[in-house]
Amino acid sequence: MRPGRIALNACAAAVLAVMAFPVYWMFATAFRPTAEIQAGTPGLWPARPTLEHFATAVAADGFWTFWRNSLAVTAAAVLLALAVALLSAVAVARMRWRGRGPFIVMVFAAQMAPWEALLVPMFVIARDTGLLDSLAMLTGVYFMVTLPFTIVTLRGFLAAVPAELEEAALVDGCTRPAAFRKVVFPLLAPGLMATSLFGFVTAWNEFAFVNVLIIKDRGKRTLPVWLSSFRDVFGTDWGATMAAATLFALPVLVVFLFLQRRVGAGLAAGAVKG
């Protein structure tokens, strides 16, 4: 192996270690006894692993309510974004219509806009429409945030599918919806997986909009906000907090492991095609 290649691999390994260590430390702390967490020099792995912190986190007030809220809002936002973005991507990639160019520019501009700039406008809209403390409003915001990326990725992937495949299906007697469903849609699976993973991670981890839009009804909040206030009368229970954070990260890990084979192909195709 060439020296340059070795140096590049070493740099990649160092970056991976730096990025993965906080996640590892969270996981290890979740299994440490409280006395070991408060020790001056805790080891890299707990000497006596325990599950008491996970029991504390699961039994904490509101854990399952906020878990259901996060799951419901995330799933609804991702499914809505996929449905709308798929129709938009078909219109942009397969059809020629007046205003198509400006529409694509607007989608790219929306994707590049910082989400924080929308906090005040979204609060004003929710307040004036009576949608504060509403999971429907939160779902709509997450849908809006993930939609531009979903459209861009699916457009690129759809453009890579030859239109001749649809035309051949039409010649064989399929209707246009049937040709899309039977020929094109199966080929879009990598793009759909990549965009759904992005949307899931974005909505699942989002913190700022929940703080702004869910004010009075604490039962409508999601797990990220609950984690930020996970304390007891003696202060922050770091063991239970790390256990709750580990449980919070598990769905993202499961979704990624389930979709990982198709995510790379979907992102690459959506980025360089069309």
Side-chain angles (χ1 to χ4, degrees):
M1 186 178 292
R2 293 177 298 177
R5 185 77 176 187
I6 295 176
L8 186 61
N9 290 341
C11 290
V15 171
L16 176 62
V18 170
M19 298 295 291
F21 184 76
V23 179
Y24 162 76
W25 197 254
M26 174 191 73
F27 183 76
T29 303
F31 289 94
R32 296 181 194 277
T34 302
E36 189 175 340
I37 294 175
Q38 297 174 351
T41 56
L44 287 177
W45 185 253
R48 296 180 179 179
T50 178
L51 295 176
E52 63 174 322
H53 299 311
F54 288 93
T56 301
V58 171
D61 183 35
F63 176 80
W64 292 111
T65 298
F66 297 137
W67 181 281
R68 288 194 299 269
N69 291 344
S70 290
L71 189 60
V73 169
T74 299
V78 170
L79 292 176
L80 282 173
L82 285 176
V84 175
L86 182 59
L87 297 175
S88 301
V90 171
V92 172
R94 286 286 192 262
M95 302 176 185
R96 297 294 181 266
W97 38 278
R98 182 176 298 179
R100 175 175 172 271
F103 175 80
I104 296 175
V105 173
M106 286 173 45
V107 171
F108 275 103
Q111 182 184 351
M112 292 184 291
W115 301 338
E116 292 79 6
L118 302 175
L119 287 174
V120 174
M122 288 298 102
F123 172 80
V124 173
I125 292 173
R127 182 197 62 190
D128 293 346
T129 56
L131 289 176
L132 284 175
D133 299 311
S134 168
L135 290 180
M137 181 67 184
L138 198 60
T139 301
V141 170
Y142 292 165
F143 159 73
M144 177 189 64
V145 168
T146 57
L147 184 61
F149 175 86
T150 310
I151 293 176
V152 170
T153 304
L154 289 182
R155 168 187 171 268
F157 199 84
L158 187 60
V161 178
E164 290 78 7
L165 295 177
E166 287 182 85
E167 295 171 359
L170 293 174
V171 171
D172 289 339
C174 284
T175 61
R176 185 167 291 278
F180 181 83
R181 185 179 70 254
K182 295 179 180 180
V183 177
V184 179
F185 188 77
L187 298 176
L188 291 177
L192 291 171
M193 297 300 101
T195 51
S196 63
L197 177 61
F198 169 83
F200 185 89
V201 172
T202 300
W204 185 260
N205 293 331
E206 205 284 319
F207 176 84
F209 282 110
V210 185
N211 260 341
V212 172
L213 299 178
I214 309 296
I215 302 175
K216 297 180 180 179
D217 191 349
R218 295 184 178 273
K220 297 289 183 64
R221 291 188 171 184
T222 54
L223 276 176
V225 176
W226 177 77
L227 280 174
S228 70
S229 59
F230 193 70
R231 298 181 179 89
D232 56 22
V233 293
F234 301 105
T236 302
D237 184 347
W238 289 112
T241 301
M242 294 299 102
T246 300
L247 294 174
F248 174 68
L250 282 179
V252 176
L253 179 62
V254 171
V255 171
F256 176 77
L257 292 177
F258 180 73
L259 302 179
Q260 58 147 343
R261 292 183 179 180
R262 297 184 179 273
V263 166
L267 287 175
V272 303
K273 300 294 184 181

